[in-house]
């Protein structure tokens, strides 16, 4: 079995289209999303509608639930005051431009999904999907998190030896073996923050012997995304962040 996992699309339709085209050429059995379909990009409705038309199941990101429930903020964390201000502007714009029907869809997304690729009637690896961490979808599961943190999260999720836990939220892809479990941050399709503007997702091959993970990068039409941001009334700086892979 081969699964693809995409996360943190953030209203970037060209990036999503490019990722799905790349996945289509890789003999994938199923694709899942790990949340944050909206926010920062100018296509919240179009992204949701493409995810739904492709029948891609997934979990709720912090941006999804806060938009769905009209929360006072997106639950994002920014040390840089400029990034914090941009986040607030983006959130207000997204609230105003996401349709009522699509907000209901965002509200329907579950906090986690559990997959049994080999059927569940035999042993074999399980896959647990969350957006941020086991406790809240606003918690950042960064690559430098301690063994103690990883142990608490995997225990909270009930991850067994041989299982994989996949998440996003940090917009930086990485993998790690921890206590017999495979931890995978897929990175971001639509708003990478690791200095590489190309979208990132995870491919997981599952067999009786375990899991193999790769993290492909996908180029997309950046000029189209940057132009659409400017035309939408969102701050131009959000386009700069796409071009630089995360910085202003």
């Amino acid at each position: 079995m081969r699964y693809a996992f995409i996360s943190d699309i953030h209203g970037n339709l060209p990036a999503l289209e490019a990722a799905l085209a790349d996945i289509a050429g890789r003999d994938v059995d199923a694709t899942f999303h790990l949340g944050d379909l909206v926010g920062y990009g100018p296509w919240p409705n179009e992204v949701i509608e493409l995810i739904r038309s492709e029948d891609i199941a997934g979990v709720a990101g912090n941006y999804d639930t806060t938009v769905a429930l009209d929360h006072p903020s997106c639950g994002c964390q920014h040390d840089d005051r400029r990034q914090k201000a941009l986040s607030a502007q983006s959130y207000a714009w997204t609230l105003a431009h996401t349709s009522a029907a699509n907000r209901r869809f965002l509200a329907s997304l579950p906090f986690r999904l559990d997959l049994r690729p080999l059927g569940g009637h035999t042993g074999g690896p399980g896959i647990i999907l969350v957006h941020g961490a086991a406790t809240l979808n606003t918690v950042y599961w960064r690559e430098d998190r301690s063994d103690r943190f990883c142990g608490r999260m995997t225990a909270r999720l009930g991850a067994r030896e041989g299982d994989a836990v996949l998440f996003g939220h940090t917009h930086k892809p990485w993998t790690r073996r921890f206590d017999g479990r495979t931890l995978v941050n897929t990175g971001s399709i639509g708003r990478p923050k690791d200095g590489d503007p190309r979208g990132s997702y995870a491919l997981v091959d599952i067999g009786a012997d375990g899991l193999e993970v790769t993290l492909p990068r996908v180029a997309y039409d950046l000029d189209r995304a940057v132009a659409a941001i400017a035309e939408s009334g969102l701050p131009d700086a959000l386009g700069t962040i796409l071009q630089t892979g995360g910085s202003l």
Side-chain angles (χ1 to χ4, degrees):
M1 295 289 290
R2 170 175 282 186
Y3 288 166
F5 300 94
I6 59 178
S7 189
D8 296 276
I9 301 160
H10 282 296
N12 189 335
L13 185 62
L16 175 59
E17 291 171 338
L20 294 181
D22 189 78
I23 290 167
R26 293 181 181 267
D27 195 24
V28 167
D29 294 291
T31 301
F32 298 88
H33 75 79
L34 277 62
D36 274 9
L37 304 181
V38 302
Y40 299 109
W43 292 284
N45 296 302
E46 293 85 348
V47 162
I48 292 170
E49 287 152 16
L50 180 54
I51 289 290
R52 297 186 74 178
S53 71
E54 294 290 327
D55 199 24
I56 298 173
V59 300
N62 58 290
Y63 225 113
D64 303 323
T65 52
T66 53
V67 166
L69 302 175
D70 200 15
H71 195 268
S73 75
C74 64
C76 314
Q77 297 177 15
H78 295 284
D79 295 328
D80 186 298
R81 62 179 180 80
R82 296 173 299 169
Q83 295 266 19
K84 186 175 181 179
L86 287 171
S87 178
Q89 290 174 272
S90 159
Y91 185 62
W93 188 96
T94 305
L95 279 175
H97 289 83
T98 305
S99 73
N102 283 329
R103 288 171 69 168
R104 286 193 295 272
F105 170 75
L106 294 177
S108 75
L109 294 172
F111 179 81
R112 68 179 278 178
L113 279 178
D114 292 81
L115 309 177
R116 290 286 180 189
L118 301 185
H121 58 289
T122 63
I127 299 176
I128 302 169
L129 310 181
V130 292
H131 175 69
T135 50
L136 296 168
N137 59 19
T138 53
V139 173
Y140 289 83
W141 199 333
R142 299 183 302 272
E143 188 173 10
D144 62 358
R145 286 290 198 179
S146 67
D147 286 352
R148 181 182 178 188
F149 177 91
C150 294
R152 285 194 293 115
M153 293 300 110
T154 54
R156 181 76 172 260
L157 292 167
R160 307 168 304 162
E161 185 172 353
D163 287 352
V165 182
L166 281 87
F167 43 90
H169 192 41
T170 70
H171 299 206
K172 296 181 179 182
W174 55 269
T175 64
R176 176 179 171 185
R177 288 286 293 172
F178 171 77
D179 197 24
R181 286 81 172 159
T182 302
L183 309 179
V184 182
N185 191 312
T186 67
S188 171
I189 287 293
R191 201 169 188 262
K193 293 182 180 178
D194 62 346
D196 185 339
R198 296 175 299 165
S200 170
Y201 70 94
L203 277 177
V204 179
D205 288 284
I206 308 104
D209 296 331
L211 300 154
E212 182 179 342
V213 181
T214 54
L215 297 169
R217 302 301 293 238
V218 182
Y220 68 94
D221 191 343
L222 262 172
D223 291 341
R224 178 185 168 199
V226 170
I229 286 171
E231 292 167 6
S232 72
L234 283 162
D236 289 347
L238 295 176
T240 301
I241 290 169
L242 296 185
Q243 292 170 317
T244 60
S247 60
L248 283 171

